[in-house]
């Protein structure tokens, strides 16, 4: 008979989980494995709330295995390190992001691209390397193989730095890979949410001119005055969109809902590149003519490898890039999820786990 | 009858044109301009039949101007040069491809990518800056600015060089630009037609491993034995396609008809690139996951710039790459078009203009 989540592993654990596709989160008792020779046990301080958490608890993509304990933007303190662990010591401030397992021997893993390993496993809602289900950061602690733990740089705050572990790397990696880092070039950021606002900051740090493309005119003031964007384009204004045709070298498209790609492709110059990062449940319409006539490209990207994630954290620490967050308590999570569904957050919720998660 | 803007078109020309969207071609007397200072007059020797010719003849893109003289895979001999011409001499064998002018000032033109200039002028069915409509290579001669013509090395047989001017550059350019050309790379080529077969030859010359992906199982023999492909996948065979998933660094898709693209994305390795050459009007349903998981990308490509076309011709000459052609007479062209529509050609028709056009003039 299958073991229950509480007895599966030797150590009691506590967090909040969604039990079905209503997505309502509530207290949940489960268990975590012993700290193995290669493992680091992390007492969780903060955990960011990613839109993927919302998609997963609602089973939007059809592969949620309840109960789901979400959370993959984790910052905490290492409380135990296994005897083979060399990179970390007890007391270190560490981060855990989107993935916590991979085969560690394939071509992708050998190129530090664990995120593209066919056997990669996620921090939550996944089957880990030990064959058991993974539970994420809306919990007191987590045990992770050292390869998937990150050193949190000094100077990077734990709370506003937490979202970098998913949102940050998700925009940083494609910007590097697709060559969107040439100073003076023009980057469009479509969607000003958790990913978008970090993309603006990282884009400016690369020396790019940044235009935010958004359907919400109300976000213009913040985009320019607080986030540092150079300009703001209202995507629902046909005249403004027409005037901006062929002006952008790159576009990072962070919009998570189904939306039209044709107008965005029109904004690109010849040879321009659009990276799509959102994961809507339905397909997007991709027109072919603009691609052929202007040698334009639409590419995807999925977080980043561990080495690159560490590099991204150092980059953000150096450039003082953090997320703009709203700190919440664990028991406010359901309200936060409702607000997130309406994009009512500037720009990332972060759960103050250590101070608000207490077993009943 | 002269149209406005045609007052400088004073040299008589003869070719074959379609008068309406039936696409039926027949003899057509017209006129071309005098040779300008920077232009060359070219006696057309051969002209390839491109599928674009067929699309245009039938007005499938809703932009055809009749009478329409197609032809943009032109190989000919220079018979006259303008006084400022420096690239060519009389008697040179040269090629003219898909464009005969561009704005010359935009970023694309300045970077030798005239093919992406938004004001580029097509060799046929294009409107020149002086308002005149261009007539293409199904004719006895053409006048072109030297900037838009390329030299054909004497080692390249002329008839089989003609298709390189469109089909050849259409395959060569994306292979180079997207980093798919070279040892260690595995390229998939979708569609074994006019473009696909030349693509296989270029890819092999680059040292890449090549797999042809085709819906026509019968083309396997040619793919492997004549063109040297390393593998052949029948795209409608699910088992074969499944077994090949995640094996290709890049795919060049030459198919212009609407077809499923998701299985092609599946064939790509992580970071793989799918390059589409055929522009269909119907958009593609993009499942974001298919690109995101594996960091894959989809791009388009359209022919190549003139400098690159010359580079491609030189490369072809160096490696003995030519198109596999069926030479036809001018009179046969309507039958050839019917056969082309059914994909019944191995693998490009080329009209022997020099020897078979004049005789059709009654």
């Amino acid at each position: 008979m299958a073991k229950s989540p509480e007895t599966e592993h030797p150590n009691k654990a506590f967090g909040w989980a969604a039990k079905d596709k209503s997505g309502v989160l509530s207290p949940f008792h489960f268990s975590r494995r012993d700290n193995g020779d290669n493992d680091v046990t992390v007492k969780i301080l903060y955990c960011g709330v990613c839109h993927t958490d919302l998609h997963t608890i609602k089973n939007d993509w059809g592969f949620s295995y309840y109960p789901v304990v979400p959370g993959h933007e984790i910052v905490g303190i290492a409380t135990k390190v296994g005897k083979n662990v060399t990179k970390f010591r007890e007391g270190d401030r560490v981060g855990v992001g989107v993935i916590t397992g991979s085969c560690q021997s394939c071509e992708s893993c050998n190129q530090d691209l664990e995120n593209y390993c066919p056997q990669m496993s996620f921090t939550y809602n996944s089957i880990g390397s030990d064959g058991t289900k993974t539970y994420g950061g809306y919990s007191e602690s987590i045990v992770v193989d050292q390869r998937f733990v990150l050193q949190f740089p000094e100077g990077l705050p734990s709370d506003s730095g937490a979202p970098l572990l998913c949102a940050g790397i998700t925009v940083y990696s494609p910007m590097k890979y697709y060559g969107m880092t040439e100073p003076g070039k023009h980057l469009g950021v479509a969607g000003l949410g958790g990913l978008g606002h970090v993309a603006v900051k990282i884009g400016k740090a690369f020396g790019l001119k940044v235009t935010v493309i958004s359907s919400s005119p109300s976000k213009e003031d913040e985009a320019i005055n607080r986030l540092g964007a150079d300009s703001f384009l209202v995507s629902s204004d046909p005249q403004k969109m027409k005037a901006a045709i062929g002006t952008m070298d790159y576009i990072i498209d962070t919009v998570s809902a189904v939306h039209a790609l044709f107008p965005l492709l029109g904004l690109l110059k010849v040879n321009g590149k659009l990276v799509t990062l959102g994961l809507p449940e339905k397909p997007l319409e991709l027109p072919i003519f603009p691609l052929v006539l202007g040698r334009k490209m639409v590419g995807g990207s999925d977080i980043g490898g561990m080495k690159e994630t560490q590099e991204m954290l150092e980059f953000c620490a150096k450039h003082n890039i953090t997320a703009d967050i709203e700190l919440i308590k664990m028991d406010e999570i359901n309200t936060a999820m409702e607000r997130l569904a309406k994009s009512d957050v500037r720009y990332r919720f972060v759960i103050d786990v250590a101070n608000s998660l207490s077993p009943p | 009858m002269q149209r406005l803007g045609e007052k400088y078109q004073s040299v008589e020309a003869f070719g074959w044109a379609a008068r309406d969207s039936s696409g039926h071609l027949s003899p057509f007397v017209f006129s071309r301009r005098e040779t300008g200072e920077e232009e060359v007059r070219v006696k057309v020797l051969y002209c390839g039949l491109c599928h674009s010719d067929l699309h245009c003849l039938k007005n499938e893109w809703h932009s055809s101007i009749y009478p329409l003289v197609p032809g943009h895979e032109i190989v000919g001999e220079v018979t006259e040069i303008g006084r400022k011409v420096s690239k060519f001499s009389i008697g040179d064998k040269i090629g003219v491809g898909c464009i005969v002018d561009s704005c010359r000032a935009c970023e694309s033109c300045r970077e030798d990518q005239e093919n992406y200039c938004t004001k580029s002028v097509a060799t046929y069915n294009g409107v020149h800056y002086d308002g005149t409509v261009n007539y293409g290579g199904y004719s006895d001669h053409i006048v072109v600015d030297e900037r838009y013509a390329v030299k054909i090395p004497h080692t390249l047989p002329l008839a089989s060089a003609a298709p390189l001017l469109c089909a050849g550059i259409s395959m060569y350019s994306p292979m180079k630009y997207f980093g798919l050309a070279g040892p260690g790379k595995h390229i998939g080529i979708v569609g074994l037609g006019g473009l696909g077969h030349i693509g296989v030859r270029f890819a092999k010359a680059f040292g890449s491993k090549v797999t042809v992906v085709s819906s026509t199982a019968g083309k396997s023999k040619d793919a492997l034995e004549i063109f040297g492909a390393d593998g052949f996948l029948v795209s409608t065979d699910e088992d074969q396609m499944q077994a090949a998933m995640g094996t290709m660094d890049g795919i060049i898709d030459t198919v212009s008809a609407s077809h499923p693209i998701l299985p092609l994305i599946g064939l790509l390795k992580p970071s793989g690139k799918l390059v589409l050459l055929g522009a269909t009007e119907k958009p593609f349903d993009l499942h974001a996951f298919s690109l995101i998981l594996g960091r894959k990308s989809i791009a388009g490509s359209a022919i190549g710039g003139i400098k690159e076309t010359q580079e491609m011709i030189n490369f072809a000459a160096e490696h003995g790459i030519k198109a596999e052609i069926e030479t036809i007479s001018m009179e046969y062209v309507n039958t050839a078009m019917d056969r082309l529509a059914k994909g019944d050609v191995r693998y490009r028709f080329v009209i022997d203009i020099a020897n078979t056009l004049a005789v059709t003039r009654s």
Side-chain angles (χ1 to χ4, degrees):
Chain A
M1 187 156 106
K3 287 191 169 176
S4 73
E6 279 190 68
T7 54
E8 201 172 26
H9 296 290
N11 302 302
K12 286 198 185 3
F14 175 71
W16 277 46
K19 273 81 172 215
D20 56 47
K21 66 182 175 69
S22 69
V24 171
L25 293 141
S26 58
F28 173 65
H29 293 277
F30 61 109
S31 50
R32 296 251 188 229
R33 67 173 184 267
D34 277 334
N35 199 79
D37 293 340
N38 297 321
D39 287 337
V40 176
T41 298
V42 182
K43 173 179 151 62
I44 297 174
L45 299 175
Y46 298 97
C47 187
V49 178
C50 177
H51 211 118
T52 296
D53 300 351
L54 179 55
H55 282 306
T56 309
I57 59 180
K58 298 272 196 181
N59 198 20
D60 284 346
W61 298 324
F63 53 78
S64 300
Y65 301 109
Y66 297 102
V68 172
V69 175
H72 57 206
E73 295 182 340
I74 301 164
V75 178
I77 305 290
T79 54
K80 274 197 204 126
V81 299
K83 67 181 174 69
N84 293 339
V85 171
T86 49
K87 294 192 318 181
F88 306 98
R89 292 170 309 183
E90 281 177 28
D92 278 355
R93 206 159 57 106
V94 296
V96 177
V98 181
I99 60 178
T100 46
S102 74
C103 81
Q104 306 199 34
S105 60
C106 69
E107 201 177 326
S108 290
C109 285
N110 290 337
Q111 290 172 25
D112 298 312
L113 293 172
E114 299 89 345
N115 48 323
Y116 298 118
C117 167
Q119 289 171 53
M120 170 268 292
S121 55
F122 296 115
T123 302
Y124 67 85
N125 194 51
S126 206
I127 304 295
S129 316
D130 64 0
T132 64
K133 191 162 98 173
T134 56
Y135 296 107
Y138 294 16
S139 61
E140 297 173 301
S141 67
I142 189 169
V143 181
V144 181
D145 183 302
Q146 63 165 330
R147 182 164 176 158
F148 302 94
V149 180
L150 297 137
Q151 199 67 254
F152 223 67
E154 211 172 295
L156 201 56
S158 300
D159 53 359
S160 54
L164 297 174
L165 292 159
C166 177
I169 186 58
T170 297
V171 301
Y172 180 88
S173 181
M175 288 178 74
K176 293 292 296 278
Y177 176 69
Y178 289 106
M180 301 176 160
T181 55
E182 211 182 309
K185 296 284 188 184
H186 188 184
L187 169 72
V189 177
L192 196 64
L195 263 62
H197 89 289
V198 172
V200 172
K201 295 182 185 193
I202 291 180
K204 291 308 299 170
F206 279 132
L208 305 172
K209 174 182 165 184
V210 178
T211 295
V212 169
I213 307 155
S214 169
S215 55
S216 319
S218 58
K219 290 186 174 178
E220 177 165 0
D221 184 46
E222 284 234 346
I224 300 200
N225 296 321
R226 200 166 117 190
L227 300 173
D230 297 280
S231 55
F232 189 91
L233 188 52
V234 179
S235 50
S236 47
D237 183 331
Q239 275 192 340
K240 294 258 164 67
M241 288 292 280
K242 191 161 174 215
I245 282 177
T247 57
M248 297 181 191
D249 297 282
Y250 335 114
I251 292 178
I252 296 268
D253 183 1
T254 75
V255 177
S256 54
V258 171
H259 59 287
L261 286 177
F262 181 77
L264 293 178
L265 291 174
L267 296 175
L268 287 172
K269 293 178 183 173
V270 169
N271 300 326
K273 298 171 189 170
L274 183 148
V275 176
T276 181
L277 300 175
L279 291 166
E281 309 96 77
K282 296 214 175 64
L284 301 174
E285 260 191 14
L286 177 64
I288 309 299
F289 262 101
L291 298 184
V292 172
L293 295 179
R295 195 161 59 179
K296 297 180 186 179
M297 186 212 77
V298 173
S301 184
D302 186 19
I303 39 166
M306 298 316 300
K307 185 169 165 209
E308 193 176 27
T309 307
Q310 187 67 62
E311 178 193 299
M312 176 276 305
L313 289 175
E314 314 286 347
F315 178 89
C316 288
K318 180 175 162 193
H319 293 274
N320 291 318
I321 295 172
T322 56
D324 287 13
I325 68 167
E326 184 176 328
L327 206 56
I328 59 165
K329 298 198 188 42
M330 191 72 240
D331 64 6
E332 293 172 323
I333 187 62
N334 288 309
T335 310
M337 285 298 186
E338 283 167 21
R339 286 178 52 198
L340 179 57
K342 289 181 263 174
S343 299
D344 174 23
V345 54
R346 276 158 149 83
Y347 286 92
R348 203 57 152 192
F349 290 113
V350 173
I351 308 168
D352 184 353
V353 175
N355 291 323
S356 68
L357 177 69
S358 41
Chain B
M1 177 174 76
Q2 281 192 339
R3 278 181 281 184
L4 202 72
E6 274 192 28
K7 54 186 159 99
Y8 301 113
Q9 310 276 31
S10 59
V11 180
E12 194 182 81
F14 174 67
W16 276 44
R19 269 52 169 210
D20 55 47
S21 62
S22 70
H24 183 84
L25 292 145
S26 59
F28 175 60
V29 176
F30 61 105
S31 51
R32 291 205 186 266
R33 61 180 178 274
E34 305 215 339
T35 312
E37 288 185 323
E38 293 170 357
E39 293 183 324
V40 298
R41 184 172 303 274
V42 187
K43 171 176 148 71
V44 179
L45 300 173
Y46 297 98
C47 188
L49 249 70
C50 177
H51 212 117
S52 300
D53 300 351
L54 183 54
H55 288 309
C56 226
L57 286 170
K58 304 263 189 184
N59 198 20
E60 284 171 20
W61 295 327
H62 314 292
S63 58
S64 298
I65 304 167
Y66 298 99
L68 201 162
V69 176
H72 58 204
E73 293 185 339
I74 303 165
V75 167
E77 185 180 300
V78 177
T79 57
E80 194 178 274
I81 60 174
R83 66 181 188 85
K84 287 188 181 167
V85 164
S86 56
K87 268 173 70 173
F88 306 108
S89 311
I90 293 178
D92 279 352
K93 302 295 190 289
I94 72 171
V96 178
C98 304
I99 58 177
V100 289
D101 211 341
S102 63
C103 84
R104 312 178 191 209
C106 69
E107 202 174 330
S108 293
C109 285
R110 282 183 280 116
E111 290 176 1
D112 298 314
Q113 289 176 20
E114 300 89 350
N115 47 321
Y116 297 116
C117 168
T118 51
K119 300 197 174 99
S120 65
V121 179
T123 302
Y124 67 83
N125 198 49
V127 179
H128 216 93
Y129 295 122
D130 64 0
T132 56
V133 176
N134 286 332
Y135 296 117
Y138 295 15
S139 60
D140 56 5
H141 76 275
I142 188 167
V143 179
V144 64
D145 186 299
E146 65 166 345
R147 183 181 162 137
Y148 301 92
V150 295
K151 213 166 204 167
I152 309 286
H154 67 272
T155 50
L156 265 186
L158 295 178
S160 47
L164 296 177
L165 275 326
C166 177
I169 186 59
S170 293
M171 298 302 290
Y172 181 92
S173 182
M175 285 185 194
K176 294 295 294 281
Y177 180 73
F178 293 104
L180 301 175
K185 298 288 182 182
H186 181 189
I187 303 180
I189 292 181
V190 184
L192 194 68
L195 267 63
H197 86 283
I198 296 181
V200 176
R201 287 182 161 164
F202 274 125
K204 290 310 298 172
F206 286 136
S208 311
K209 175 178 165 184
V210 181
T211 297
V212 170
V213 181
S214 169
S215 55
T216 317
K219 289 189 174 180
S220 161
K221 196 164 185 299
D222 282 358
L224 300 168
E225 293 175 22
I226 299 182
F227 306 121
D230 300 280
F232 187 91
L233 281 182
V234 180
S235 53
T236 46
D237 185 324
E238 276 186 29
D239 290 336
Q240 278 189 28
M241 291 291 280
Q242 182 77 17
M245 279 184 72
T247 59
M248 299 180 191
D249 295 285
I251 294 173
I252 314 263
D253 185 353
T254 74
V255 177
S256 52
S258 219
H259 59 290
I261 294 186
L262 197 57
L264 300 178
I265 299 177
L267 293 176
L268 293 170
K269 291 179 186 174
S271 307
K273 299 162 193 168
L274 171 61
V275 183
L276 304 175
L277 303 185
T280 51
E281 275 200 40
K282 184 165 173 271
F284 162 59
D285 272 343
L286 176 66
H287 295 261
F289 270 105
S290 65
L291 294 186
I292 285 171
L293 297 180
R295 188 165 67 180
K296 299 177 185 179
S297 48
I298 301 178
S301 183
I303 40 169
I306 305 301
K307 185 172 167 205
E308 193 175 27
T309 305
Q310 183 69 71
E311 179 191 297
M312 177 274 304
I313 292 278
N314 296 346
F315 181 87
E318 197 185 316
H319 293 269
I321 295 171
K322 49 192 170 68
E324 198 74 7
I325 66 172
E326 182 177 329
T327 312
I328 62 166
S329 67
M330 192 71 241
E331 256 189 350
Y332 191 77
V333 75
N334 287 308
T335 310
M337 284 298 177
D338 288 339
R339 285 178 54 196
L340 181 58
K342 290 181 250 158
D344 173 24
V345 54
R346 293 171 68 215
Y347 280 80
R348 202 64 153 183
F349 290 115
V350 173
I351 309 171
D352 181 354
I353 299 277
N355 293 319
T356 67
L357 174 63
V359 76
T360 66
R361 188 167 181 172
S362 48

